[in-house]
Amino acid sequence: MKRSVFFITRSAVVAAIYFALATALQPISFGPVQFRLSEALVLLPVFMPESIIGVTLGCFLSNFFYSTMYDVIFGTIATAAAAVLTYLLRRTKFLYILPPLFLNAFLVPLIWVADGSDAAYLLNFALILASEVIVVCLIGLPVTLVLRKALTRAGIQFYTFRKALAAPAYFRDITRGETAKTVTKIAPF
């Protein structure tokens, strides 16, 4: 199979997980006070660049089906920009956490300002920032670190975004009866 098929498949799996989490937790994932657990996936670009497309598509689909058109626009832009900046800041120790926190906190409250409701921007900013701190820092970061460690132990190889399309698929080398140990490091932890 072509390597781009694996890239697209991994992106689709991330999008499906994002959408499934947002759908399963729909009552708390949307609205002025939101706790979107699927936003924890926005840290995956630290070691898996194809997840940029996955989280963006997952955010778009969940907003399209369950929220307003303003959320489709501003929420998807915030998540896409956060995923790209997380990838670009992946080499800086824990600085890659900041884009999801602040981009969502600045851009998502624009939904209620653009929607014409009288919700206070600063109140929504504070509420979304608090939920992003909980989701990204307290849930997403530990899950990302554990997932990366588990995938590394399983012999999964990681690549930069330029090499991701041309890279071989994630695989385990079981021809020699052992797990492959070579993994390209891209983000210091």
Side-chain angles (χ1 to χ4, degrees), residues 18-116:
Y18 189 105
F19 183 74
L21 283 171
T23 301
L25 301 171
Q26 186 180 354
I28 60 171
S29 293
F30 301 97
V33 180
Q34 57 179 265
F35 184 78
R36 194 176 292 189
L37 188 61
S38 51
E39 279 292 314
L41 298 175
V42 85
L43 292 180
L44 288 179
V46 169
F47 66 92
M48 204 167 80
E50 60 272 15
S51 65
I52 295 171
I53 297 167
V55 296
T56 303
L57 181 61
C59 180
F60 172 78
L61 290 173
S62 61
N63 288 338
F64 182 78
F65 285 109
Y66 302 116
S67 193
T68 65
M69 192 52 70
Y70 294 115
D71 200 10
V72 171
I73 295 166
F74 294 121
T76 304
I77 288 171
T79 300
V84 168
L85 288 173
T86 297
Y87 173 75
L88 294 175
L89 295 172
R90 72 190 181 280
R91 297 183 195 269
T92 58
K93 189 156 186 123
F94 300 115
L95 192 59
Y96 54 82
I97 296 173
L98 297 179
L101 297 178
F102 291 109
L103 284 174
N104 281 311
F106 282 118
L107 292 177
V108 174
L110 293 176
I111 296 164
W112 294 280
V113 173
D115 199 18

Side-chain angles (χ1 to χ4, degrees), residues 120-180:
Y121 177 82
L122 292 177
L123 177 63
N124 286 328
F125 171 83
L127 291 172
I128 290 176
L129 182 62
S131 73
E132 287 291 322
V133 166
I134 293 169
V135 169
V136 173
C137 295
L138 300 179
I139 298 170
L141 183 62
V143 167
T144 301
L145 295 175
V146 168
L147 182 62
R148 183 168 198 261
K149 189 173 184 179
L151 292 176
T152 302
R153 282 188 181 165
I156 305 297
Q157 297 181 357
F158 304 106
Y159 297 93
T160 60
F161 193 73
R162 280 188 290 161
K163 295 180 183 178
L165 279 173
Y170 292 158
F171 67 94
R172 293 180 66 185
D173 185 12
I174 56 173
T175 58
R176 294 180 287 158
E178 60 185 46
T179 304

